[in-house]
């Protein structure tokens, strides 16, 4: 049985794994060569995070599974990433709107996690804060460009926010594992107001009207995913699954 | 041209040639013959396009890298190549051409990229083979180009070469792992070598005696070593590496020649080279289509960037 701490760490690892895999899809597909490089950079940082969490999970695991066992040999029902991370990359506006939501969140989340009683988690969080700050500057800047650029970019940005809107709630939902880890896990609910304020502030500055109709999709932490995760994992895990036990 | 103008040009040409003879670098503001400029634009933009198009066959395995370490290394590698492309485009722009013009020339097939990227990456071992052989061949070429006569190109090569040895190592490491692995993995490595060996040798271009651009480029010290010399150097350094892996190079004529102090190797199939370079490789159309598609799909983003910049500039003035 996975302990609450292992479950908690794996959830964080899966969030980053799946998001990084998505961002990687932009490689050679960006709107400019500069942006290709920048998105790849973010994908690398986030993959780095996933690996730190998986490696810690490996230390915690009684079965001594490795980071690759976790990433490459768990099925879609075992992956517990929050749904927002697995959504397809969409157009550039969708990718940047998601980054904006998540970078705002990560900034708050990692600064809270850096005070965790668990030293390893606090250490990982401390490493992530700085880069996550860069990511946030970048994504906020893109939101400004898209909102104030052309009619088309504004329209696409609003459509993206609308598509993402119902997935934000899950970021602030406390899981059972988390509720058992007081002082170790971040209390997500505490971050919600600040996050919402930050989103509201920039939106107001840019005359972005946030969706008035709310909706609520959830299930990632229970392994209840969208239909998008399966094909992604099938592709990602194909070699590891074809050659069980092989070294690469 | 008037007589006076003729005399001035003659003087400039002599100064230029004296600089070349003294191994001084030509800098963007210096006078240069138009043919020198055109030759550089052709070679440098082709080099830049190669970096960028090369992202596609390698990017093809990013989503499927077998473990997280490999995924991270490959991602970093492909990102480096994008950086090389950017750097080389900038260096080429010093010659008075824009990146857009260069990219359009590639889309219209007036400018080339390394023809080897018209082959597909079919297995994970191909990622190893590209790093080992394609980056390996590129290094041999680029080391010699560090001494090229055009300053910005020379400096670009010095900077880029520093990263290339990491590229080659990551490729070779992939193959080491495969060759230490199961029979299936080893077969995968051999198959990749079989497919990538000859195209890698073709990367150095036609024989010196048949190369249209070679002579002139050598005279201007744009190129410092001949295609055949560079190819020989690559073969000599790569054969022992293949032996170490326990892989067989697909060339029955390959043999050490003690007299020459070099490996002899078989004839390159130049018809294959011509066939692929002229558009009949497995991926020619796909590579250009992919590049164009990314550009087209990103057009609205670039328009937004431009519009935003104008608005910002307007606000600063106001
Ligand atoms: Fe390169
Ligand atoms: Fe390279």
């Amino acid at each position: 049985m996975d302990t609450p701490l292992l479950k908690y760490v794996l959830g964080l690892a899966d969030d980053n794994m799946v998001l990084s895999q998505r961002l990687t899809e932009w490689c050679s597909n960006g709107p400019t060569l500069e942006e290709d490089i920048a998105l790849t950079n973010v994908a690398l940082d986030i993959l780095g995070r996933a690996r730190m969490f998986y490696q810690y999970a490996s230390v915690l695991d009684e079965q001594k599974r490795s980071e690759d066992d976790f990433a490459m040999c768990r099925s879609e029902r075992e992956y517990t990433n929050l749904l927002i991370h697995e959504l397809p990359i969409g157009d550039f506006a969708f990718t940047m709107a998601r980054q904006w939501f998540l970078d705002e969140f990560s900034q708050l989340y990692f600064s809270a996690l850096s005070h965790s009683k668990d030293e390893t988690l606090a250490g990982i969080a401390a490493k992530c804060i700085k880069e996550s700050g860069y990511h946030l500057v970048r994504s906020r800047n893109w939101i400004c460009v898209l909102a104030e650029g052309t009619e088309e970019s504004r329209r696409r940005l609003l459509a993206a926010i609308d598509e993402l809107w119902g997935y934000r709630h899950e970021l602030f939902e406390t899981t059972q594992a988390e509720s058992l880890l007081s002082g170790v896990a971040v209390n997500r609910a505490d971050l919600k107001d600040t996050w919402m304020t930050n989103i509201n502030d920039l939106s107001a500055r840019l005359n972005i009207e946030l969706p008035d109709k709310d909706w609520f999709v959830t299930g990632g932490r229970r392994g209840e995913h969208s239909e998008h995760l399966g094909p992604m994992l099938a592709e990602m895990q194909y070699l590891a699954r074809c050659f069980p036990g092989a070294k690469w | 041209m008037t007589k006076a103008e003729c005399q001035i040009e003659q003087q400039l040409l002599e100064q230029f040639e004296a600089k070349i003879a003294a191994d001084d670098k030509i800098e963007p503001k210096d006078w240069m013959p138009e043919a020198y400029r055109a030759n550089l634009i052709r070679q440098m933009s082709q080099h830049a396009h190669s970096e960028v198009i090369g992202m596609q066959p390698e990017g093809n395995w990013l989503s499927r890298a077998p473990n997280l370490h490999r995924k991270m290394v490959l991602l970093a590698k492909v990102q480096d190549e994008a950086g090389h492309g950017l750097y080389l485009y900038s260096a080429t722009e010093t010659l008075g051409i824009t990146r857009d013009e260069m990219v359009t020339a590639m889309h219209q097939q007036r400018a080339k990229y390394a023809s080897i990227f018209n082959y597909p990456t079919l297995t994970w071992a191909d990622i190893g083979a590209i790093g080992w052989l394609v980056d390996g061949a590129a290094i041999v070429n680029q080391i010699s180009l560090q001494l090229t006569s055009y300053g910005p190109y020379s400096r670009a090569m010095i900077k880029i070469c520093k990263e290339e040895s990491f590229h080659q190592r990551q490729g070779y490491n992939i193959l080491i792992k495969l060759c230490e692995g199961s029979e299936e993995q080893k077969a995968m490595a051999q198959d990749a070598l079989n497919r990538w060996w000859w195209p890698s040798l073709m990367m150095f271009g036609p024989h010196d005696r048949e190369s249209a651009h070679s002579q002139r480029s050598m005279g201007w010290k744009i190129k410092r070593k001949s295609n055949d010399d560079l190819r020989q150097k690559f073969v000599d350094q790569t054969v022992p590496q293949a032996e170490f892996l326990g892989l067989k190079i697909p060339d029955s004529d390959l043999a050490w020649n003690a007299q020459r102090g070099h490996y002899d190797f078989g004839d390159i199939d130049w018809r294959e080279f011509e066939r692929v370079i002229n558009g009949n490789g497995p991926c020619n159309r796909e590579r250009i289509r992919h590049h164009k598609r990314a550009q087209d799909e990103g057009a609205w983003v670039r328009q937004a960037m431009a519009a935003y910049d104008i608005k910002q500039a307007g606000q600063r003035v106001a």
Side-chain angles (χ1 to χ4, degrees):
Chain A
M1 253 306 274
D2 293 352
T3 63
L5 183 57
L6 179 56
K7 276 190 190 161
Y8 176 56
V9 174
L10 278 176
L12 298 179
D14 290 345
D15 287 345
N16 287 290
M17 184 68 243
V18 165
L19 180 63
S20 166
Q21 183 77 3
R22 280 297 181 222
L23 286 170
T24 299
E25 292 177 36
W26 279 102
C27 193
S28 84
N29 292 304
T32 63
L33 194 49
E34 286 83 348
E35 194 48 38
D36 230 308
I37 294 172
L39 279 170
T40 313
N41 230 341
V42 178
L44 269 170
D45 286 344
I46 292 177
L47 177 57
R49 281 185 206 166
R51 294 189 67 189
M52 286 190 276
F53 286 123
Y54 280 136
Q55 283 162 7
Y56 185 36
S58 178
V59 173
L60 297 171
D61 185 30
E62 269 182 17
Q63 303 168 54
K64 290 287 156 243
R65 282 169 290 181
S66 68
E67 57 168 340
D68 292 318
D69 293 334
F70 287 126
M72 298 297 179
C73 301
R74 278 151 70 241
S75 72
E76 42 278 64
R77 297 285 287 115
E78 294 165 293
Y79 257 73
T80 58
N81 60 281
L82 302 177
L83 302 173
I84 190 169
H85 301 93
E86 74 196 38
L87 302 174
I89 57 173
D91 64 5
F92 187 73
F94 185 86
T95 286
M96 288 324 300
R98 166 164 59 191
Q99 285 312 114
W100 177 40
F101 279 15
L102 291 177
D103 293 339
E104 295 279 6
F105 177 79
S106 294
Q107 199 55 5
L108 302 175
Y109 193 86
F110 287 126
S111 60
L113 188 63
S114 70
H115 301 297
S116 169
K117 281 193 301 197
D118 184 301
E119 279 176 27
T120 309
L121 288 176
I124 294 174
K127 275 190 204 156
C128 296
I129 287 176
K130 202 171 158 195
E131 64 183 32
S132 147
Y134 292 133
H135 298 173
L136 180 57
V137 169
R138 221 182 77 80
S139 54
R140 277 185 186 164
N141 185 55
W142 267 116
I143 297 306
C144 296
V145 172
L146 298 178
E148 302 197 319
T150 61
E151 257 173 54
E152 178 174 13
S153 67
R154 189 176 181 84
R155 176 176 58 71
R156 285 177 184 260
L157 175 63
L158 295 182
I161 291 173
D162 195 53
E163 276 303 307
L164 284 161
W165 198 234
Y167 290 99
R168 76 190 192 288
H169 298 289
E170 217 184 23
L171 295 170
F172 307 103
E173 241 185 9
T174 304
T175 63
Q176 207 193 357
E178 283 166 342
S179 63
L180 295 170
L181 292 167
S182 158
V184 171
V186 173
N187 186 3
R188 297 170 166 270
D190 292 348
L191 310 177
K192 187 166 189 172
D193 289 346
T194 316
W195 184 86
M196 204 55 242
T197 306
N198 292 348
I199 297 289
N200 278 327
D201 284 354
L202 186 59
S203 301
R205 230 180 75 205
L206 298 168
N207 293 318
I208 295 174
E209 268 187 53
L210 294 169
D212 47 10
K213 186 169 172 292
D214 207 0
W215 45 286
F216 195 122
V217 186
T218 177
R221 284 283 189 262
R222 297 189 303 276
E224 289 161 18
H225 293 277
S226 69
E227 287 179 349
H228 302 297
L229 185 67
M232 175 203 275
L233 293 183
E235 186 174 335
M236 182 172 106
Q237 300 178 337
Y238 133 82
L239 264 184
R241 300 261 196 194
C242 274
F243 299 90
K247 298 265 185 302
W248 304 93
Chain B
M1 222 184 275
T2 64
K3 185 178 171 196
E5 280 167 352
C6 255
Q7 277 169 342
I8 290 170
E9 177 147 346
Q10 188 56 36
Q11 251 175 15
L12 288 168
L13 185 63
E14 277 163 22
Q15 281 167 7
F16 171 83
E17 278 172 351
K19 263 192 206 156
I20 296 277
D23 279 338
D24 285 350
K25 297 284 178 239
I26 307 299
E27 294 300 333
K29 288 202 172 72
D30 295 343
W31 183 90
M32 60 188 87
E34 275 317 301
Y36 176 83
R37 186 186 300 276
N39 200 319
L40 271 173
I41 288 177
R42 182 189 54 77
Q43 181 169 337
M44 290 172 71
S45 69
Q46 176 172 340
H47 198 156
H49 298 324
S50 303
E51 303 281 359
V52 171
I53 295 296
M55 294 168 70
Q56 291 181 35
E58 293 193 286
N60 181 34
W61 280 89
L62 279 172
S63 64
R64 295 177 291 165
N67 62 39
L68 299 185
H69 168 69
R70 291 287 174 211
K71 191 187 284 291
M72 187 125 118
V73 171
L74 182 60
L75 196 50
K77 197 258 186 195
V78 179
Q79 189 197 29
D80 276 356
E81 304 299 8
H84 294 174
L86 199 57
Y87 201 68
L88 279 161
Y89 280 130
S90 305
T92 315
E93 283 182 327
T94 62
L95 292 160
I97 182 169
T98 66
R99 201 200 303 180
D100 277 351
E101 288 169 330
M102 291 184 252
V103 168
T104 304
M106 173 174 70
H107 287 173
Q108 297 176 347
Q109 288 158 51
R110 287 181 283 116
K112 293 195 170 80
Y113 53 85
S115 190
I116 195 159
F117 296 130
N118 291 317
Y119 293 94
T121 47
L122 300 177
T123 72
W124 173 248
D126 290 18
I127 298 303
I130 287 189
W132 174 37
L133 300 173
V134 180
D135 286 87
I139 293 170
V140 168
N141 191 27
Q142 289 171 3
I143 285 176
S144 89
L145 286 171
Q146 291 179 347
L147 296 172
T148 190
S149 58
Y150 187 55
Y153 195 23
S154 162
R155 290 188 286 277
M157 288 299 101
I158 290 167
K159 192 175 146 105
I160 286 172
C161 274
K162 289 195 185 123
E163 291 175 348
E164 291 294 352
S165 52
F166 146 66
H167 296 175
Q168 196 199 14
R169 230 172 320 128
Q170 65 90 31
Y172 196 62
N173 271 325
I174 287 173
L175 293 173
I176 288 178
K177 280 286 178 209
L178 291 175
C179 291
E180 289 171 353
S182 65
E183 282 309 307
E184 252 175 319
Q185 284 175 297
K186 200 165 173 186
M188 199 189 273
Q190 181 63 57
D191 170 58
L193 175 58
N194 293 348
R195 281 180 290 114
W196 291 91
W197 174 254
W198 288 108
S200 300
L201 295 195
M202 293 174 195
M203 276 177 74
F204 295 94
H207 288 308
D208 301 330
R209 55 180 186 276
E210 277 143 32
S211 171
H213 304 290
S214 241
Q215 286 300 22
R216 204 159 197 199
S217 294
M218 295 278 284
W220 279 329
K221 295 187 181 169
I222 293 175
K223 284 182 69 159
R224 302 307 307 259
K225 288 212 169 99
S226 78
N227 293 352
D228 286 325
D229 285 350
L230 292 168
R231 186 164 21 237
Q232 181 72 59
K233 193 167 174 223
F234 173 72
V235 171
D236 288 348
Q237 81 179 33
T238 308
V239 173
Q241 295 167 351
E243 274 165 12
F244 179 82
L245 291 172
L247 296 179
K248 193 178 171 325
I249 288 177
D251 178 358
S252 53
D253 294 326
L254 188 79
W256 178 249
N257 181 328
Q259 227 168 14
R260 289 203 308 128
H262 290 293
Y263 279 95
D264 290 337
F265 53 96
D267 290 333
I268 291 169
D269 181 357
W270 292 111
R271 272 174 324 193
E272 161 84 358
F273 177 74
E274 290 296 328
R275 205 173 60 76
V276 174
I277 209 166
N278 288 324
N280 304 298
C283 304
N284 299 58
R285 297 168 77 85
E286 180 53 30
R287 298 294 182 237
I288 294 293
R289 184 163 40 221
H290 179 135
H291 196 269
K292 270 191 191 152
R293 180 189 39 72
Q295 259 226 328
D296 293 348
E297 286 175 4
W300 69 268
V301 182
R302 295 191 301 278
Q303 282 158 11
M305 287 164 75
Y308 183 75
D309 283 348
I310 290 169
K311 283 180 196 167
Q312 291 296 104
Q315 276 171 16
R316 274 197 297 275
V317 172

